[in-house]
Amino acid sequence: MSPWFDEFWRVVFFTLGIFAIGLFIGYPFWLFLLACLGYLAWHWYNLYRLEQWFSKSKKFQPPDAPGIWGEVFYHFYRLQQRNRKRKRKLGAMLKRFQRSTAAMPDATVVLGANYEIEWFNKAASQLLGLQSPQDKRQPVGNLIRYPSFQHYLTHNDEGRLTIKIVSPIDPEIMLRVTVVPYGDNQHLLLARDVTELHRLEQIRSDFIANVSHELRTPLTVISGFIETMQDTPEFVAEFQRPLLLMAQQTARMRNIVEDLLLLSRLESEGNTEMMGPIEVTELLRVICEEAQVLSGEQRHEICLEADEQLIMYGQLEELRSAFSNLVFNAVRYTPTQGKIHLRWYQDPQGLHFEVSDTGEGIAPEHIPRLTERFYRVDVARSRNKGGTGLGLAIVKHVLNRHKGKLHIESVMGQGSTFRCDFPLSVLEQQEY
Ligand code: ADP
């Protein structure tokens, strides 16, 4: 039965009893009033016990009480028990989580509003030099002072950040730092020791740079001799064709070596060298003329549509190399008298350089791999056209250094569009 039903009948019988006694002794009203005050006092008393139990009593068991108050105490007791159990469970979970993150070899830092350090693990002390408790509540920008990191903190519209930095406490340690936003204006900073990986990358790129450099001189000597022999009239006519082939192949090898050296430079050099305002329209006019020469007998229709006012900050030689690679590719892979359209324009998303052609097109499965070194859709065709297989890899590197992205669209048999997307920030002089 419901406790409220019990309580109701108890009050009814109690009131009737008091009333009967009141009638018997001749003071029904006064006795009734007294009984009401007694009932009220009993509630007050139990409320007081409940409040005391909540605030002071550390006793596990609730106070004893008859009637409805017994039920109330019992329910509170059950609720308290459930909460204690939940608290114990959460506490154990938190301890487990803290122990596992503390054991992680990667530095983990929880950043609150305004990038203040809220919590960090042991690895963060070892890799980033954070110290407890003095670094807690400090803005992380005061402790990790790198231009690109500071730029991210001040322009936090970029979502996620991944950069490579030297450890602030040991210049021998290379770190890959990732900042991921989560929750309500919070960020997680993760730092991983990539010293070994960085060393291997360095060995690989030094090896390519050294090999390319070593090949350069013998190639120059060989092509010099070939040219001399070609220019010597008394050299027998039957050797002229092999000499021509030798000249073509050495030229191809020299192009590959030059492209490899350029790629090594793009990988190793800092980004800030020789940055300046570039009149892209003027640069594109020159590339257009060169493309027309490359097209020669094929008489491609090359047209340029460019916004002359649009001047971007960047590295002239790098951009010349990237843009000309895209335009010369369009000439190479577009049949005779095909159309090539160049566009340099701005829209709310940023600045764009676009090359569209009416060439053979590229099958969709090749598109994601085109920027890999030496990746060609048709190796023989690329070689015949004088390609090195490194052009789009160079384009990708140059764009990365200018915060740009390459976007490729193509329809087989209809043509391709290669678009370089730059953020609006390249309109200003800034630190890259
Ligand atoms: P390559 O020196 O061989 O041209 P790239 O890196 O410049 O090397 O290009 C990689 C491959 O992408 C090329 O071999 C070619 O198959 C394909 N490609 C590049 N541009 C175009 C284009 N405009 N139309 C069709 N295919 C293209």
Side-chain angles (χ1 to χ4, degrees):
M1 220 190 287
S2 149
W4 286 105
F5 197 68
D6 270 0
E7 187 66 14
F8 171 76
W9 284 116
R10 199 174 293 129
V11 170
V12 169
F13 286 126
F14 177 71
T15 315
L16 287 178
I18 288 292
F19 206 68
I21 297 170
L23 278 178
F24 182 69
I25 60 172
Y27 297 104
F29 175 74
W30 288 111
L31 209 61
F32 180 71
L33 191 69
L34 208 66
C36 283
L37 283 175
Y39 189 64
L40 195 67
W42 180 68
H43 278 304
W44 270 88
Y45 172 61
N46 281 312
L47 260 179
Y48 169 76
R49 288 170 78 204
L50 181 67
E51 192 272 333
Q52 289 294 306
W53 182 55
F54 273 151
S55 60
K56 290 202 197 111
S57 173
K58 297 270 180 299
K59 263 199 289 175
F60 197 60
Q61 291 289 336
D64 267 339
I68 191 70
W69 278 104
E71 284 295 320
V72 171
F73 285 143
Y74 175 70
H75 285 306
F76 274 122
Y77 171 61
R78 289 284 306 274
L79 202 71
Q80 202 187 39
Q81 262 189 331
R82 245 181 277 145
N83 279 346
R84 278 192 186 149
K85 223 172 174 177
R86 214 173 286 156
K87 218 162 119 186
R88 266 204 305 273
K89 230 170 157 181
L90 280 175
M93 220 157 89
L94 196 68
K95 257 192 206 136
R96 269 207 309 276
F97 170 75
Q98 280 182 334
R99 252 185 253 136
S100 61
T101 40
M104 251 167 46
D106 294 348
T108 311
V109 186
V110 176
L111 304 173
N114 301 323
Y115 299 103
E116 276 175 7
I117 299 173
E118 282 187 352
W119 179 87
F120 56 85
N121 66 353
K122 219 157 104 193
S125 308
Q126 289 156 357
L127 297 176
L128 297 165
L130 300 187
Q131 288 181 356
S132 189
Q134 57 267 47
D135 288 339
K136 289 215 171 126
R137 296 270 137 230
Q138 284 266 1
V140 71
N142 290 357
L143 304 162
I144 304 178
R145 305 192 143 272
Y146 288 91
S148 44
F149 189 69
Q150 297 286 341
H151 184 267
Y152 172 81
L153 299 185
T154 43
H155 303 74
N156 57 354
D157 51 351
E158 292 162 52
R160 198 187 171 116
L161 166 87
T162 303
I163 45 163
K164 245 192 202 175
I165 61 168
V166 176
S167 163
I169 52 161
D170 185 351
E172 298 283 303
I173 299 178
M174 223 30 224
L175 299 175
R176 193 177 62 220
V177 174
T178 309
V179 185
V180 199
Y182 76 97
D184 195 12
N185 205 13
Q186 285 197 302
H187 290 78
L188 196 66
L189 184 149
L190 301 162
R192 171 169 288 186
D193 183 347
V194 289
T195 315
E196 193 55 22
L197 206 68
H198 180 73
R199 207 175 58 82
L200 291 175
E201 264 174 32
Q202 200 73 45
I203 292 173
R204 178 190 62 86
S205 74
D206 284 354
F207 175 75
I208 295 174
N210 289 339
V211 168
S212 316
H213 202 75
E214 291 299 324
L215 285 175
R216 213 183 201 178
T217 322
L219 275 173
T220 316
V221 175
I222 293 170
S223 50
F225 277 124
I226 293 171
E227 271 172 37
T228 319
M229 285 191 271
Q230 280 178 315
D231 293 343
T232 312
E234 56 272 22
F235 221 81
V236 260
E238 63 197 84
F239 283 128
Q240 285 305 324
R241 175 141 175 84
L243 278 177
L244 181 70
L245 289 177
M246 279 161 77
Q248 281 171 352
Q249 291 307 315
T250 35
R252 210 171 79 76
M253 273 173 80
R254 277 171 69 177
N255 286 344
I256 294 177
V257 166
E258 291 304 325
D259 276 0
L260 279 174
L261 278 171
L262 176 60
L263 266 174
S264 300
R265 267 207 310 280
L266 290 175
E267 272 181 344
S268 59
E269 271 174 17
N271 296 24
T272 44
E273 277 167 50
M274 310 287 285
M275 285 283 182
I278 296 169
E279 291 188 19
V280 178
T281 310
E282 204 38 55
L283 172 67
L284 292 177
R285 274 198 197 113
V286 177
I287 294 176
C288 246
E289 281 163 21
E290 289 168 358
Q292 208 71 64
V293 175
L294 180 70
S295 166
E297 291 293 289
Q298 291 184 288
R299 293 196 308 280
H300 291 103
E301 191 184 316
I302 305 173
C303 74
L304 169 65
E305 184 191 329
D307 181 346
E308 296 221 20
Q309 311 296 322
L310 223 50
I311 290 181
M312 76 175 268
Y313 273 87
Q315 216 278 352
L316 177 65
E317 284 316 312
E318 289 181 12
L319 289 173
R320 185 198 304 281
S321 175
F323 292 171
S324 56
N325 265 311
L326 293 177
V327 179
F328 297 167
N329 271 352
V331 174
R332 283 197 205 112
Y333 301 107
T334 303
T336 307
Q337 292 187 346
K339 286 191 184 119
I340 296 164
H341 187 192
L342 316 184
R343 267 182 86 202
W344 169 239
Y345 63 99
Q346 179 183 353
D347 67 11
Q349 277 74 49
L351 276 66
H352 312 276
F353 170 59
E354 189 178 275
V355 184
S356 312
D357 60 53
T358 55
E360 59 207 48
I362 308 158
E365 67 269 21
H366 294 297
I367 291 180
R369 300 196 58 191
L370 289 183
T371 51
E372 287 172 24
R373 289 170 192 212
F374 297 113
Y375 187 87
R376 288 116 151 181
V377 176
D378 180 340
V379 180
R381 192 176 157 76
S382 156
R383 281 193 188 137
N384 281 343
K385 299 273 181 182
T388 60
L390 295 168
L392 292 180
I394 292 174
V395 173
K396 186 182 157 191
H397 266 81
V398 172
L399 293 191
N400 274 349
R401 286 158 67 89
H402 289 80
K403 298 185 166 215
K405 289 231 153 48
L406 181 66
H407 182 87
I408 307 172
E409 273 173 24
S410 188
V411 181
M412 284 300 279
Q414 287 186 25
S416 317
T417 299
F418 288 74
R419 197 182 68 229
C420 308
D421 297 329
F422 299 100
L424 288 170
S425 56
V426 298
L427 283 170
E428 308 154 21
Q429 178 123 44
Q430 56 167 308
E431 219 174 318
Y432 279 80

